[in-house]
Each structure stands twice: as C-alpha cells, then as structure tokens.
Amino acid sequence: MSWGLAYYALEWAIRITALLIVPVRKPAATATSWLLLIFFLPVPGIVLYLAIGSASLPRWRTRQFTARLPEFSKLANSIAREDPDGSKSEDLTEKVVANSGLMPAIGGNNLELLVDYQAMIDQLVTDIDEASERVHMVAYIFASDSTGKKVVAALERAVKRGVQCRVLVDPIGSAHWFREIQSMLRGIGVDVRATLALHSLRRWTRRDLRNHRKLYLIDGDTAYVGSQNIVAADFRPGIVNQEVVVRSQGPVVAELEAIFAVDWQNETGEWLGDKISIPKAAGNARLQVLASGPDFSPEGFRSLLLQVIHSACSRILIVTPYLIPDPSVLAAMKLARLRGVEIVIAVSRVRDHPIVHLAQESYYSELLDIGVQLVAARDGLLHAKVVVSDRQVGVVGSGNLDIRSLILNDELSLVIYDEASIAALAETVERMIESAGPISRTEWDARPKLARVVENLARLTSPLL
C-alpha cells in the first residue's frame, strides 16, 4: 500500500471514529463544529480535539472529589443550622444553587461592593497585613507587575509573622508572568501551586479547561469574590479594566473556604476542609456560594443564569465582557421578552480578544431583534460579571456569558438575596449602564457588509470559544 493511500485510509478512519465519539454528551452546535473541522481537516482536527475537545477530568480527580462529598454535606448542614433567618427558604433560585453547588443560602453576612480597582487592591493588602493565621488565594491572573508585587510584599510580611499563605495560580491565565511570580512567592515562603498544571501526565485534562476563579480569603473570616485578578488595571496597553468585587464577612466565608479546600486538594492532595470553622454573623446580607465546573456541576453557572432569567418578572440587568450566549440562554431571553421583561446587557467596545469579540458581535442583531437593550462602555473594558433580576436576586462572580464559563471552566459566583445588598448592586450596575453608550438598531444595521461576513465566520467558532 502506498503512503498516499494509507494516509487517505487514515483520514476516513478518523472521520468515522469522530462520528462515534464526538457527539457524546455534547451540545449539538459544539459537536457539529468539531465534526466539520475533523471532516475537512481530519488529522489536525483530531489532534486539536484530543487536546481541547473533551471536558472530562481524570478518574483520580473525580474519585477524590466524590470521597469528600460526605464532609461537604456535613459542613453545608452545619452552615444551614447557623442561618439567623431560622426557617428553610422556599426560594427556587436558592434550591437550584444548592443542588448545583452543594452549599445553602445563609444570612448574617456583611457585604461591601468594591468597584474602584486600586482601592480593592489596597483593601486586600490591608486585610493581608492584619492576618494572624492564614491567607488563601485563587487567581486566574497573578502578575509580577507593580500591582502583583504589592500583594507579594504583603504576603511576605504575613509569612514573617507566621501566617500560613497558600496560593493557587492558573498557568495559562498568568502565562506571561507565571514562572517569575511562582519564583517570587516560593522565595518568600508562600506555598504556591499551579492549577491544572500543564506538565503533568497524571493530571492530564483538556488544555484550555482552566480554573477561572478569583477568590481571596483571610483568616477564614474575610473573603473577596468577583472578577478582579491580581494584575494592574491597564495590563493590556490602552485598555483599563473595570471590575466589581464583593468583600464579605460572616458564615458565607466558610462556604468559600470549602471551595478553596477542594481546589487545594486537587493540586496538592492535602485536604484543608477539617480546619474550616463557621464565622459568626456579621451583618444582614443573605448570600449563597455557587462553585461550577467539572468538579461540581459542570452546568451550574448556566443553570443559575437560566433560573434567574426564567423567574424574572420585570427587569434583568447583565454586565459581561464576553457575550456569546448558547441556544438555551437565547431561548430564555426570548421567552422573558415575550413576558414583557426588560433586559439590558452592558458590554464593551474594546476588542481585547478579536475573534471572541467578532463572534460576540454576530449575536447583537438577534438580541436587538427580540428587544434586548445593548449598551457598550465607551472607555475601557467592562470586565465585571454581574446579574441583577427584579431586585430580587443578584450575582457577582467570575463567570462570563460564554460557553467557557457556562459549562467548561471552574467558576465561582456569589448569589445575593437580601433587598439592601441587591439595591446597592443594582445602583452600581445602573451607573455602568448610564456611562455606556447604547447600541442602536440603526447604528448596527449601518455597519459594512464585510463586517457582517467576518462576524458570522467568527460565530462558527463560538461553540469552541
């Protein structure tokens, strides 16, 4: 048999095999995109699919997480018993989040919204400087720039006081700085580990499946959750990030410590869950933690988003830097509009990821057609990830409105239920919307035809983005 004939046979073997394995437990659009790629480019396509096509985790990791579920349930029950509201809630969103992320809603928390980028870093440094026992951090980006070095200096002072500092850093998100920041942290005595390390065969998983959480914990009684990484606001030249972060104290911090404990065990084998204590009530905010991703419920964040949209009666506000909704989210928005629900989505005009932004723009016409109001920040990147519905529920976290956050990456969301906190969050979002410019139907229809073609070509990649 000639080499040419052998290669031809190989290509058809790949195509036939792909038909059997690619569609398994995948959304139709995602499976179709992969099959098209493999059918046209069998060898490169199957290599790419093997690298990033499957979101399944190694069996050892699944077994490890399953083994901890009884302890998770025990902690969740203990937290629920501390609920100052006293009775079990019948709120459907609380039930969805509890069944997806395993943690209950809990009252008695203090909630502070941080929207000033540098002020958030300064407050975090102040809290680290006051730590007496431990500092735990998960960062998608931890840079060795001036902002990162400011946090490193605070961690160094903490280590010298005898504080145990543990840091998880994603090596893809922090690729530009990873080796340097790892060396800096190890050099001052911080126990730093890579999340989903790329060099480990035992921990092999989808290469683009990342831990996208941003979580900073001090002494088990203060927590930061939101969209802000440890990096300068303008780390991309000419682009200034705008963020929303929640600083909280109270029983909900125990839930966030439990999420860190899972992430830490996955990378080190060391379980910290037995060291978690439940802080006493510190305020009136009612909060609930949702961890989503392959370890927990892979579709937890999407389930939360769908529940919020389906339950809305009057108005939904969304802030997201990346807007590539899947069919279920689009259908939920269409149904909400038919109910008369006003939907306002704030995005950015800045193109920090050109292909992603082009794919995003391909959805604007469809959203405008159903009556969704789109506004775009004139300056900087709205990197915040926020949802507010009817002033009845709010969400602040790390999840974008794209396939990556909806069902792939490890994400973290803080769900807010009390009236005062939601009102404050809604006012924050309203200010962002007021400072942005509307994307009108007339403006959008006037863009060049070539732009539409390029956008639609980019949209074909959206199930893979």
Side-chain angles (χ1 to χ4, degrees):
M1 180 184 293
S2 68
W3 284 109
L5 187 58
Y7 189 80
Y8 181 75
L10 174 64
E11 286 188 326
W12 274 104
I14 290 172
R15 291 183 179 112
I16 293 170
T17 304
L19 283 173
L20 299 176
I21 65 172
V22 169
V24 177
R25 300 182 67 179
K26 282 186 178 64
T30 302
T32 300
S33 295
W34 277 115
L35 288 173
L36 282 172
L37 175 62
I38 293 170
F39 265 66
F40 279 105
L41 298 169
V43 175
I46 198 64
V47 170
L48 188 62
Y49 179 80
L50 292 174
I52 66 170
S54 175
S56 61
L57 293 171
R59 291 181 181 177
W60 66 265
R61 182 163 166 154
T62 303
R63 288 196 298 267
Q64 187 171 260
F65 178 74
T66 302
R68 295 299 178 189
L69 285 179
E71 293 175 66
F72 242 83
S73 297
K74 183 178 179 181
L75 177 62
N77 291 333
S78 298
I79 293 171
R81 287 195 293 270
E82 295 294 322
D83 191 351
D85 293 347
S87 60
K88 188 173 181 179
S89 172
E90 294 300 317
D91 185 276
L92 294 179
T93 302
E94 289 187 18
K95 290 182 178 180
V96 168
V97 175
N99 288 329
S100 297
L102 310 179
M103 287 296 172
I106 180 74
N109 302 287
N110 178 62
L111 181 146
E112 180 183 359
L113 289 173
L114 304 175
V115 296
D116 183 298
Y117 198 104
Q118 191 55 49
M120 179 271 173
I121 295 294
D122 292 342
Q123 182 63 61
L124 176 62
V125 167
T126 297
D127 285 339
I128 294 174
D129 280 335
E130 295 177 357
S132 60
E133 182 182 344
R134 64 184 184 269
V135 175
H136 291 161
M137 303 179 72
V138 183
Y140 181 64
I141 300 177
F142 198 138
S144 57
D145 62 5
S146 59
T147 298
K149 287 177 180 176
K150 189 171 185 177
V151 176
V152 170
L155 291 171
E156 182 176 18
R157 293 190 293 270
V159 170
K160 288 179 178 178
R161 296 194 307 272
V163 176
Q164 176 69 59
C165 296
R166 301 178 177 92
V167 176
L168 293 170
V169 181
D170 189 277
I172 295 294
S174 305
H176 184 69
W177 308 274
F178 181 70
R179 289 187 178 180
E180 184 177 3
I181 197 66
Q182 186 180 51
S183 177
M184 289 172 61
L185 291 170
R186 285 178 176 170
I188 63 173
V190 172
D191 194 349
V192 56
R193 308 296 178 99
T195 56
L196 294 164
L198 301 178
H199 62 272
S200 173
L201 290 177
R202 178 175 180 264
R203 294 171 184 269
W204 175 268
T205 186
R206 180 170 170 164
R207 299 291 86 185
D208 67 330
L209 191 67
R210 309 314 310 164
N211 190 324
H212 193 241
R213 295 171 184 145
K214 293 89 176 168
L215 173 62
Y216 317 124
L217 297 151
I218 293 87
D219 280 346
D221 59 23
T222 301
Y224 292 74
V225 180
S227 58
Q228 189 165 334
N229 290 292
I230 308 300
V231 65
D234 58 351
F235 74 97
R236 295 187 185 94
I239 300 175
V240 179
N241 282 15
Q242 299 179 51
E243 313 284 359
V244 174
V245 176
V246 169
R247 178 179 181 269
S248 185
Q249 296 169 313
V252 76
V253 178
E255 298 188 8
L256 294 163
E257 282 279 9
I259 305 309
F260 180 86
V262 169
D263 285 347
W264 187 257
Q265 179 183 248
N266 284 337
E267 307 307 336
T268 68
E270 179 187 10
W271 175 245
L272 304 173
D274 52 4
K275 298 180 176 65
I276 297 173
S277 58
I278 303 172
K280 296 194 178 298
N284 299 311
R286 185 169 183 80
L287 307 173
Q288 188 174 21
V289 171
L290 173 65
S292 56
D295 288 315
F296 290 84
S297 170
E299 300 191 15
F301 180 59
R302 179 164 64 177
S303 297
L304 168 61
L305 188 60
L306 290 173
Q307 167 61 23
V308 169
I309 295 172
H310 282 306
S311 62
C313 295
S314 58
R315 195 170 194 230
I316 302 171
L317 306 176
I318 298 174
V319 180
T320 181
Y322 310 117
L323 176 61
I324 305 179
D326 74 350
S328 65
V329 174
L330 274 173
M333 288 184 179
K334 291 176 181 177
L335 184 58
R337 289 294 301 131
L338 290 173
R339 296 197 307 273
V341 176
E342 180 185 6
I343 303 176
V344 185
I345 304 179
V347 293
S348 302
R349 293 191 184 273
V350 170
R351 295 188 175 188
D352 61 329
H353 298 295
I355 294 179
V356 174
H357 199 89
L358 286 167
Q360 170 173 313
E361 289 179 335
S362 73
Y363 288 89
Y364 288 0
S365 292
E366 189 171 357
L367 290 167
L368 290 169
D369 283 344
I370 65 173
V372 171
Q373 299 174 43
L374 294 174
V375 299
R378 295 183 177 91
D379 301 308
L381 176 70
L382 276 181
H383 192 250
K385 302 95 164 50
V386 181
V387 180
V388 182
S389 175
D390 290 345
R391 298 209 172 195
Q392 298 295 315
V393 63
V395 182
V396 176
S398 64
N400 301 307
L401 213 162
D402 63 8
I403 192 68
R404 201 151 286 297
S405 291
L406 290 173
I407 62 173
L408 292 175
N409 284 342
D410 288 327
E411 303 288 359
L412 187 61
S413 302
L414 189 67
V415 189
I416 305 167
Y417 299 103
D418 65 288
E419 185 177 340
S421 299
I422 294 171
L425 181 60
E427 289 171 10
T428 297
V429 175
E430 293 282 10
R431 286 195 294 271
M432 290 180 169
I433 291 171
E434 289 171 6
S435 65
I439 299 175
S440 68
R441 179 85 253 185
T442 303
E443 171 198 351
W444 201 243
D445 287 345
R447 72 195 192 285
K449 290 183 179 180
L450 180 59
R452 304 181 194 189
V453 172
V454 174
E455 290 162 7
N456 288 325
L457 288 173
R459 182 170 179 157
L460 293 175
T461 68
S462 62
L464 313 179
L465 294 175

